[in-house]
Amino acid sequence: MTIKRILSGIRPTGDIHLGNYLGAIYNWVEMQHQSQQNLFCIVDLHALTTLQQTENLALNTRTVAAAYIAAGIDPKKSAIFAQSHVPNHSELGWILGCFTPLGWLNRMTQFKDKAGKHKELAHLGLYAYPVLMAADILLYKASHVPVGEDQKQHLELARDLAAAVNHRFNTDIFPMPEPIIQGAGMRVMSLRDGTSKMSKSDISDYSRINMMDTQDMIEQKIRKAKTDMEPIPETVAALAGRPEAQNLINIFAAMSKQNPQEICSVFAGNNFSEFKKKLTDCLINTIVPIGNNMRELMKEETELDKILSNGAIIANDLAEKHMYEIRSAIGLLKK
Ligand code: ADP
Ligand code: TRP
């Protein structure tokens, strides 16, 4: 498969975890070599939408950059940059907002989850989040957007907006971005509750494996991970109704590049203790070296900042070129 241009991003809102790795970064690493251009953004303006997570924004931005690189994103092949270093994201976000019916935003499940019960107290930024995300994608005319399954609805909104603006101005300025949602790791669930997704915002650190967790921490977290009393079944179908068991098997499958059925066949009839030992080894072998690599990269602040500013130069050039076309297409007076 030859891909024209990939764009994706992660919010710098705290510890980056196994869900971000398996749902996003892992696929980026594989895809970057099949694509003509890659843009991997650290979406710091999106982090502002959850105000409780804005502490250490600069540090967290560097941490996410370090995670990208440590996991295998090559800065020579892919532009790594901070969203706020390219002002056109905000400009296009405003323009797209003028073509977004409120009805579309009212359907967004992430807003409903994050705003909670008191919607009137939620901020405009949280509500407009999917519009800014559409701007991130459409600004670069990205052809492919690799994300976790939770972002599917936002991607659909970006496509709807592209079509709406194209239609309104009778142009084909925005190509349709294709979501890439793949792999067993596309939806990694909490280690404490197999029905909610693994997330940075979960108050319990035992709910997730962080990319900078030590060997000891990974051992403890997997030992304590919730399971049930039943043995591992022979078939994946028999995992239905056992979300915690299903989650651990999916994680193992993704980490060991097998499918969940192969894992069931190997461990069928066993209880979880032997399985957990193997899963722990597998996690330690992959995650601990990435975490160590991140710690090394974090020591070289100037180097990291240089990678980010090189990435921003590439992103700004492309963004400014496209923004010129977009302004013309919608009829704004030329500068
Ligand atoms: P979080 O939800 O932890 O705050 P982000 O919203 O910054 O993380 O997500 C960044 C990327 O990681 C997105 O592509 C998202 O789909 C993916 N992602 C986040 N959590 C998970 C998860 N539990 N399983 C799979 N992918 C995930
Ligand atoms: N909304 C995404 C998330 O919460 C992060 C994001 C922002 C993103 N802009 C993007 C992902 C553009 C892909 C493309 O995970």
Side-chain angles (χ1 to χ4, degrees):
M1 172 166 62
T2 306
I3 293 171
K4 186 162 189 284
R5 185 175 297 125
I6 291 175
L7 176 127
S8 198
I10 293 183
R11 298 179 308 136
T13 45
D15 285 331
I16 182 150
H17 55 78
L18 187 68
N20 301 134
Y21 177 66
L22 289 178
I25 307 175
Y26 178 84
N27 289 329
W28 308 352
V29 172
E30 305 263 304
M31 287 175 73
Q32 67 179 332
H33 300 291
Q34 299 154 25
S35 158
Q36 288 166 19
Q37 190 171 30
N38 307 291
L39 299 150
F40 295 118
C41 189
I42 299 136
V43 285
D44 48 0
L45 298 176
H46 274 103
L48 291 174
T49 59
T50 39
L51 292 177
Q52 65 280 20
Q53 293 171 323
T54 52
E55 268 172 60
N56 303 324
L57 206 42
L59 173 72
N60 288 340
T61 301
R62 286 196 187 103
T63 311
V64 175
Y68 288 2
I69 300 163
I73 300 293
D74 176 0
K76 292 202 187 76
K77 182 90 191 90
S78 306
I80 299 173
F81 64 102
Q83 182 186 31
S84 65
H85 293 180
V86 186
N88 298 125
H89 288 249
S90 308
E91 180 185 358
L92 185 57
W94 174 262
I95 292 175
L96 294 178
C98 297
F99 297 91
T100 313
L102 294 191
W104 291 6
L105 294 181
N106 290 338
R107 286 203 292 272
M108 295 294 115
T109 54
Q110 183 169 298
F111 174 76
K112 290 183 202 159
D113 293 347
K114 292 204 166 148
K117 286 193 191 113
H118 303 289
K119 295 216 171 25
E120 344 51 80
L121 294 178
H123 296 110
L124 175 61
L126 187 64
Y127 191 58
Y129 180 115
V131 181
L132 182 60
M133 176 163 165
D136 300 338
I137 297 166
L138 300 181
L139 179 58
Y140 300 102
K141 303 192 186 186
S143 59
H144 292 79
V145 184
V147 281
E149 203 204 8
D150 58 331
Q151 296 304 310
K152 210 170 164 180
Q153 198 185 30
H154 290 160
L155 252 302
E156 273 157 21
L157 186 112
R159 289 168 63 90
D160 288 345
L161 262 171
V165 176
N166 283 348
H167 182 259
R168 166 72 180 74
F169 295 99
N170 194 19
T171 147
D172 54 3
I173 190 116
F174 294 130
M176 283 296 140
E178 284 300 324
I180 307 275
I181 298 167
Q182 56 184 207
M186 64 191 189
R187 194 169 180 85
V188 181
M189 308 310 278
S190 156
L191 301 179
R192 311 298 298 160
D193 168 7
T195 61
S196 66
K197 79 165 191 166
M198 184 178 285
S199 167
K200 297 170 203 147
S201 45
D202 195 315
I203 40 169
S204 166
D205 196 50
Y206 279 87
S207 69
R208 64 185 159 259
I209 303 284
N210 299 310
M211 297 310 287
M212 300 234 278
D213 278 350
T214 59
Q215 180 165 337
D216 281 358
M217 284 156 131
I218 295 176
E219 271 164 11
Q220 273 189 48
K221 286 179 180 179
I222 296 299
R223 204 177 324 118
K224 294 201 170 162
K226 194 172 163 197
T227 46
D228 52 39
M229 306 303 282
E230 302 292 313
I232 296 175
E234 270 169 35
T235 66
V236 172
L239 283 168
R242 300 174 63 187
E244 284 82 16
Q246 195 165 26
N247 185 37
L248 292 184
I249 286 175
N250 282 346
I251 292 175
F252 196 0
M255 298 297 294
S256 60
K257 298 194 200 299
Q258 299 178 71
N259 65 47
Q261 182 53 55
E262 287 172 294
I263 308 290
C264 285
S265 305
V266 172
F267 290 96
N270 291 349
N271 64 22
F272 276 91
S273 60
E274 193 50 36
F275 167 86
K276 279 187 168 183
K277 278 190 205 131
K278 293 268 166 31
L279 172 61
T280 304
D281 289 346
C282 185
L283 283 165
I284 288 172
N285 287 339
T286 307
I287 304 299
V288 173
I290 295 179
N292 289 341
N293 206 342
M294 283 174 72
R295 273 181 275 273
E296 287 304 309
L297 289 160
M298 295 290 288
K299 286 186 203 150
E300 307 291 334
E301 221 168 74
T302 334
E303 268 306 299
L304 267 183
D305 288 354
K306 192 148 175 269
I307 290 173
L308 287 171
S309 72
N310 284 341
I313 291 173
I314 296 170
N316 265 301
D317 277 356
L318 190 61
E320 195 39 61
K321 178 172 156 257
H322 288 167
M323 216 44 236
Y324 180 84
E325 295 170 15
I326 297 163
R327 288 189 208 107
S328 307
I330 64 176
L332 291 165
L333 181 65
K334 287 202 174 79
K335 284 201 251 186

